[in-house]
Amino acid sequence: MSIELHLKLRGPHAGMDARDSLRALQNMLSLLRELENTETARSSAEGTRWAFNELGLGSVACTLEPLRIAEHSDYAVVERVLQAAVTGLDEAEARARIPTGWSSRAANFGRRLARSLGASADVGMSIMVRSDGQVLRAAEVTQRAALHLDAATNARFRSFGSRRGRLSGLTESRQENPRALLRTEVGAEVIPVLFPEELDSELRAAWRRNRVEVTGEITENAQGQAVNMVARAIELLPTEATLSDNDLRAGFWPDMTEGRDAVEYVEAMRGGD
């Protein structure tokens, strides 16, 4: 089984400005690395290595395939990353929101990629994911995506609240407090979270848990999406989410009946009557 990403720049500028072309390709590789880090437990500056298996001369048209999978990743993650990249750029072309499964950092890389494109499809970029020659995802990207992503990453509101989900993409260094990504179970947000030093033990306890609740200061965009968060507390949640988004929004708890069906639970509450 093979997985590959095909890109083609369109219009009279394609293949003429080497610097812009290389910058676009570099931003695509940076976007893929960032999306890979959101899928894995720890962030890494060295993501999966990519190789050309097609490279057009006289125009910017190329196909990338994995050369070496990163140690913190695997083949299934790489396939999800490629599909998330194309689907996200397609979403960015349509509306001013951070694409599903993208962090605000990933949105910045996507914005840089689209910034050098023209305002219509004939001077934009086509991109597709192929598996064994079959197209899985495809998108047409123009400068409109850059404008939408610029608006989506513009912080508008700050509030105090919480989000539930799973932590991934941990980054640690001696110079800075640890950072991680919270993949929420409602809304499919990927939120960069800064953890102050006093939460170090709680963060380590929360790592690799299926569900946690992080409370803190949330910065949101105009659409109400969380752009980033500063954690003030972490709560370990006992079970993996099994309810729908609508049920979770209503505040129901998966272990409310302690594993019993509704009739048994009500009978127990009534003392068996």
Side-chain angles (χ1 to χ4, degrees):
M1 180 179 178
S2 65
I3 191 77
E4 58 189 20
L5 181 70
H6 179 76
L7 305 94
K8 183 175 182 179
L9 290 177
R10 294 199 173 115
H13 66 284
M16 296 178 64
D17 191 319
R19 182 174 59 180
D20 282 350
S21 301
L22 289 173
R23 185 182 294 117
L25 184 56
Q26 182 59 53
N27 283 324
M28 172 56 73
L29 293 174
S30 296
L31 172 60
L32 296 180
R33 185 181 67 240
E34 180 64 22
L35 291 174
E36 189 172 33
N37 282 335
T38 69
E39 289 277 353
T40 53
R42 288 182 175 268
S43 292
S44 172
E46 296 295 329
T48 290
R49 300 277 297 275
W50 298 88
F52 292 110
N53 69 7
E54 293 179 14
L55 182 60
L57 298 178
S59 65
V60 181
C62 65
T63 302
L64 301 172
E65 65 178 4
L67 174 64
R68 188 180 68 193
I69 304 295
E71 292 182 358
H72 68 303
S73 185
D74 58 46
Y75 193 89
V77 166
V78 169
E79 181 173 347
R80 291 200 301 271
V81 164
L82 292 183
Q83 296 203 45
V86 175
T87 302
L89 287 169
D90 195 37
E91 288 184 31
E93 187 71 14
R95 57 187 183 274
R97 289 176 57 83
I98 297 175
T100 304
W102 285 31
S103 65
S104 56
R105 181 176 167 84
N108 279 323
F109 286 125
R111 176 173 55 83
R112 295 176 193 174
L113 171 65
R115 183 184 292 165
S116 62
L117 303 176
S120 60
D122 59 344
V123 287
M125 179 182 70
S126 63
I127 180 172
M128 65 179 70
V129 180
R130 298 188 300 221
S131 177
D132 294 330
Q134 180 181 359
V135 177
L136 302 181
R137 295 282 189 277
E140 298 290 336
V141 188
T142 69
Q143 199 176 62
R144 184 181 294 107
L147 297 174
H148 284 165
L149 290 172
D150 186 52
T153 53
N154 185 21
R156 294 291 183 88
F157 310 106
R158 286 180 173 83
S159 62
F160 194 88
S162 64
R163 293 287 195 279
R164 291 181 176 182
R166 177 175 60 85
L167 293 170
S168 66
L170 178 65
T171 303
E172 294 181 286
S173 72
R174 294 181 179 179
Q175 293 76 28
E176 298 180 349
N177 290 332
R179 298 173 182 269
L181 297 168
L182 179 65
R183 302 178 66 89
T184 65
E185 60 189 26
V186 176
E189 293 178 292
V190 179
I191 309 171
V193 185
L194 174 66
F195 293 89
E197 186 177 352
E198 58 267 25
L199 288 181
D200 183 71
S201 60
E202 287 88 343
L203 175 59
R204 295 182 185 281
W207 203 246
R208 297 186 182 280
R209 292 292 293 252
N210 286 329
R211 300 181 69 224
V212 298
E213 181 169 358
V214 179
T215 301
E217 301 161 18
I218 303 173
T219 301
E220 298 180 339
N221 62 16
Q223 290 74 36
Q225 295 177 293
V227 176
N228 58 61
M229 188 173 186
V230 178
R232 298 304 179 199
I234 309 172
E235 181 182 353
L236 307 183
L237 301 181
T239 62
E240 185 174 357
T242 57
L243 300 181
S244 69
D245 283 2
N246 288 334
D247 286 336
L248 288 166
R249 288 191 185 96
F252 290 96
W253 184 250
D255 282 347
M256 180 178 177
T257 63
E258 301 175 346
R260 291 170 286 188
D261 64 31
V263 174
E264 292 173 335
Y265 182 72
V266 171
E267 289 179 348
M269 292 291 291
R270 293 175 175 174
D273 295 333

